[in-house]
Amino acid sequence: MWTKIIIVAFLAVIVYNLGSGLYYMMTDKSGSDRVVKALTRRIGLSVLLILLVILGIWLGIIQPHDIGH
């Protein structure tokens, strides 16, 4: 159960950073680097989430399943 909560929390933070990057891109006219920072955090969190899922599968914490079988 905790793994699902952690994954959903990661996804929520990733979507938040994506939205803040869009907001900063539309509103900042001064040429600040807030867009780059928000999108860099999003990419970093996405990579971290993928690595955590791979680690969870490798350790047996997450059990993948075949839907077709």
Side-chain angles (χ1 to χ4, degrees):
M1 182 65 183
W2 284 104
T3 56
K4 291 179 185 177
I5 293 172
I6 291 170
I7 290 172
V8 169
F10 261 93
L11 290 174
V13 173
I14 289 169
V15 169
Y16 171 77
N17 278 304
L18 184 62
S20 65
L22 175 66
Y23 175 76
Y24 295 144
M25 184 175 63
M26 300 303 272
T27 59
D28 278 353
K29 303 298 181 201
S30 64
S32 68
D33 62 343
R34 293 195 299 181
V35 175
V36 175
K37 287 182 181 179
L39 296 178
T40 302
R41 281 192 305 268
R42 183 191 65 88
I43 291 170
L45 287 170
S46 298
V47 169
L48 181 61
L49 178 61
I50 290 169
L51 292 175
L52 286 175
V53 168
I54 291 171
L55 182 67
I57 291 171
W58 185 64
L59 292 175
I61 298 170
I62 298 173
Q63 298 293 326
H65 58 82
D66 288 335
I67 295 175
H69 293 102

